[in-house]
Amino acid sequence: MSCSGCCPDRPIVTDEICQNWEFSCDSTDRTIWEADGDVIKPFGTVTVLVENSCDGVEVRVNQTLITTLKEGQSFSKTFNSLRNVSIRCLGGSGGSICCGKLCMTVHYKKC
């Protein structure tokens, strides 16, 4: 049975996400965004800005290392599939922190 024409497609929803993040520089991988299980094929643009870093900040999208940034650097890229974004603050001495911002424009269909 074909479903073409029997009902309209689900509309594409767009979310704008902007959040601050702050972590200790202990090389622990921390997820800062994860797709909701009720969305279909999320895609969009991820922008990461590093305001303060110890020995650099690794940015991972879908568990794949995308780039390493230093203090004052930013990164932006559009992905055709988004499941999660994580940050790893490298090195540093006791009590050191890294911080920055995550901004995303995510498009998806809702179940």
Side-chain angles (χ1 to χ4, degrees), residues 2 23 29 31 45 48 50 58 67 89 93 98-100 107-108 111:
S2 170
F23 302 113
D29 197 30
T31 300
T45 302
V48 176
V50 177
E58 292 180 349
T67 189
C89 299
S93 57
C98 68
C99 61
H107 310 281
Y108 58 90
C111 290

Side-chain angles (χ1 to χ4, degrees), residues 61-102:
V61 175
N62 303 333
Q63 273 103 33
T64 300
L65 178 62
I66 301 300
T67 189
T68 301
L69 302 172
K70 298 285 186 187
E71 190 171 307
Q73 292 183 320
S74 64
F75 166 83
S76 187
K77 183 174 181 179
T78 301
F79 295 87
N80 62 7
S81 175
L82 288 169
R83 291 184 306 279
N84 55 57
V85 178
S86 62
I87 296 291
R88 179 179 293 175
C89 299
L90 303 173
S93 57
S96 298
I97 63 161
C98 68
C99 61
K101 295 181 192 249
L102 168 69

Side-chain angles (χ1 to χ4, degrees), residues 4-72:
S4 62
C6 68
C7 56
D9 283 342
R10 290 179 175 93
I12 293 180
V13 177
T14 299
D15 279 342
E16 299 286 336
I17 300 158
C18 192
Q19 64 186 43
N20 295 316
W21 50 267
E22 181 177 312
F23 302 113
S24 60
C25 296
D26 59 6
S27 297
T28 300
D29 197 30
R30 293 176 173 89
T31 300
I32 57 174
W33 179 86
E34 192 164 31
D36 185 327
D38 289 336
V39 300
I40 302 170
K41 298 182 181 177
F43 64 96
T45 302
V46 175
T47 301
V48 176
L49 167 68
V50 177
E51 295 170 335
N52 186 57
S53 72
C54 298
D55 294 331
V57 174
E58 292 180 349
V59 178
R60 286 181 169 69
V61 175
N62 303 333
Q63 273 103 33
T64 300
L65 178 62
I66 301 300
T67 189
T68 301
L69 302 172
K70 298 285 186 187
E71 190 171 307

